[in-house]
């Protein structure tokens, strides 16, 4: 026979081959494949031509695989099984019964807002694997750039040739301090009022710190310490060591006995969160479903701001200079 032309072998030919190997009858195998007998015989002949092998011995009473046909049978069944498994996998992914999605986002969003989103997503798609990276803005963006996260929520507008960033939400800053602190009862809190007291800062690479530094420049705060974790900042403020200023989306950390918050309406002091993903790259079906759920469900700041109690400002309280 001619030199094998493997590229000409089709799944229909393999299916016809396996049917004939099982049934040992052209008539019954053709019926199982929903083909006429001449069309079925043509498929088998085309397969033998493509492989350059005779796969079946034929007679009017007998059909049986040749030794080469028996050897080929195991491979043909394995290919068909893998093909069927691939089709089943695609079907499950299309129905969102399986898949994987990875999201990177700020720790405050990961702890306060994301659990409710994932609860609903998980209920709808229990077979999808979910990976969460709760890191600062720059690592969030880098994970998306490297393809390790499908998308991110970060406090930097990472619009580049590789990445696309679109506004997601924003939050104002609030003073956090002990309930008995002098600042807690001021009718209006100015930057110089806060600068008069020891201040608990977040780390310099955090979005909180970067927004504060930009808005307060050139005013210098009385920095008591810099911490990496919001829970640590809360503990220091609650102990009376200093005061701090935090975005609204972090305030659930400070809903503690003995602590109060006050809104700060200062020019330029608003944190913006962006939804970041790679340009010209399709998300998987599982990732796209979570992306759309996230995009349509930004944090409800009315619930966030309802948690901490605020004392009524005193009628008269001197500002510290």
């Amino acid at each position: 026979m001619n030199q094998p032309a493997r590229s000409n072998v089709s799944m229909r030919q393999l299916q016809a081959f396996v049917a004939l190997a099982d049934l040992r009858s052209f008539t019954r195998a053709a019926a199982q494949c929903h083909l006429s007998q001449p069309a079925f015989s043509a498929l088998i002949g085309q397969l033998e031509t493509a492989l350059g092998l005779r796969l079946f011995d034929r007679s009017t009473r007998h059909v049986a695989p040749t030794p080469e046909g028996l050897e080929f049978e195991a491979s043909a069944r394995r290919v068909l099984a893998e093909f069927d498994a691939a089709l089943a996998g695609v079907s499950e992914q299309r129905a969102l019964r399986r898949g994987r999605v990875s999201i990177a986002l700020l720790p405050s969003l990961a702890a306060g807002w994301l659990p409710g989103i994932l609860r609903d997503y998980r209920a709808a798609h229990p077979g999808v694997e979910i990976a969460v990276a709760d890191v600062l803005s720059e690592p969030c963006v880098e994970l998306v750039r490297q393809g390790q996260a499908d998308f991110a929520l970060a406090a930097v507008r990472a619009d580049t040739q590789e990445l696309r960033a679109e506004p997601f939400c924003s939050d104002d800053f609030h003073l956090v301090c002990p309930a008995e602190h002098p600042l807690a009862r001021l009718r209006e809190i100015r930057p110089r009022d806060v600068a008069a007291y020891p201040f608990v800062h977040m780390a310099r690479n955090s979005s909180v710190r970067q927004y504060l530094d930009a808005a307060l420049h050139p005013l210098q705060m009385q920095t008591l310490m810099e911490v990496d974790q919001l829970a640590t900042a809360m503990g220091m403020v609650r102990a009376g060591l200093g005061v701090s200023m935090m975005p609204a989306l972090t305030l659930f950390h400070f809903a503690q006995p003995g602590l109060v918050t006050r809104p700060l309406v200062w020019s330029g002091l608003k944190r913006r969160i962006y939804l970041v993903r790679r340009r010209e790259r399709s998300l998987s079906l599982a990732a796209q479903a979570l992306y759309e759920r996230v995009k349509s469900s930004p944090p409800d700041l009315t619930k966030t701001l309802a948690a901490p109690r605020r004392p009524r400002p005193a009628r008269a309280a001197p500002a510290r200079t």
Side-chain angles (χ1 to χ4, degrees):
M1 288 190 178
N2 296 330
Q3 184 70 19
R6 297 177 181 84
S7 61
N8 293 331
V9 174
S10 69
M11 299 306 296
R12 291 190 67 195
Q13 292 168 352
L14 292 181
Q15 290 165 346
F17 168 82
V18 169
L20 187 56
D22 286 339
L23 298 174
R24 308 293 176 96
S25 164
F26 275 84
T27 301
R28 293 196 301 273
Q32 179 175 294
C33 294
H34 306 288
L35 294 170
S36 67
Q37 186 167 329
F40 182 85
S41 297
L43 279 179
I44 297 299
Q46 292 163 4
L47 177 61
E48 290 179 323
T49 298
L51 295 177
L53 294 172
R54 186 173 182 84
L55 299 174
F56 291 96
D57 289 325
R58 308 162 173 82
S59 70
T60 55
R61 298 182 179 180
H62 177 78
V63 176
T66 64
E68 292 78 15
L70 288 173
E71 184 175 349
F72 179 68
E73 183 179 348
S75 298
R77 291 185 185 278
R78 183 173 62 253
V79 170
L80 287 175
E82 292 176 353
F83 181 69
D84 289 342
L87 291 180
V90 169
S91 178
E92 289 189 352
Q93 289 181 346
R94 187 171 61 248
L96 291 181
R97 289 192 294 268
R98 59 180 289 189
R100 185 180 188 277
V101 56
S102 175
I103 179 174
L105 73 171
L106 298 172
S108 55
L109 284 168
W113 164 80
L114 184 64
I117 299 295
L118 293 187
R119 178 194 59 218
D120 296 341
Y121 181 85
R122 183 78 172 160
H125 313 297
V128 174
E129 179 186 350
I130 303 170
V132 175
D134 51 341
V135 293
L136 298 179
S137 289
E138 293 299 335
C140 278
V141 171
E142 189 59 28
L143 287 172
V144 175
R145 181 179 291 113
Q146 294 176 358
Q148 297 179 33
D150 294 300
F151 59 94
L153 292 169
V156 291
R157 185 161 195 161
D159 264 321
T160 67
Q161 290 184 340
E162 298 176 85
L163 303 176
R164 182 183 74 200
E166 55 185 308
F168 176 65
C169 69
S170 63
D171 55 349
D172 294 314
F173 277 70
H174 293 245
L175 173 77
V176 292
C177 64
E180 302 304 319
H181 196 280
L183 290 175
R185 297 191 174 276
L186 289 182
R187 185 176 300 277
E188 178 184 355
I189 302 173
R190 296 165 295 182
R192 65 184 184 184
D193 298 325
V194 181
Y197 296 96
F199 196 85
V200 178
H201 255 310
M202 298 302 295
R204 294 179 184 274
N205 61 343
S206 69
S207 65
V208 174
R209 179 63 177 274
Q210 290 166 2
Y211 272 89
L212 281 177
D213 285 350
L216 294 173
H217 181 79
L219 185 66
Q220 296 295 316
M221 308 301 288
Q222 291 189 33
T223 302
L224 174 72
M225 65 182 70
E226 297 180 356
V227 299
D228 289 318
Q229 305 299 326
L230 288 166
T232 305
M234 181 278 297
M236 299 301 173
V237 174
R238 189 178 180 187
L241 294 173
V243 301
S244 193
M245 292 187 289
M246 296 291 174
L249 290 173
T250 72
L251 293 184
F252 67 94
H253 283 285
F254 299 88
Q256 302 288 334
L259 290 183
V260 295
T261 69
R262 294 283 309 280
L264 301 172
V265 187
W266 297 351
S267 176
L269 193 54
K270 180 185 288 289
R271 185 176 67 159
R272 290 173 173 81
I273 309 296
Y274 297 91
L275 192 53
V276 182
R277 58 180 289 183
R278 282 175 290 175
R279 292 185 185 274
E280 301 176 359
R281 294 286 187 90
S282 297
L283 296 175
S284 68
L285 294 175
Q288 185 67 37
L290 181 58
Y291 179 86
E292 291 173 358
R293 188 179 292 265
V294 163
K295 188 174 180 179
S296 64
S297 306
D300 185 350
L301 291 179
T302 60
K303 293 181 180 179
T304 301
L305 299 178
R309 296 181 59 190
R310 302 167 179 80
R312 180 178 300 173
R315 180 173 296 275
R320 295 290 297 270
T321 59

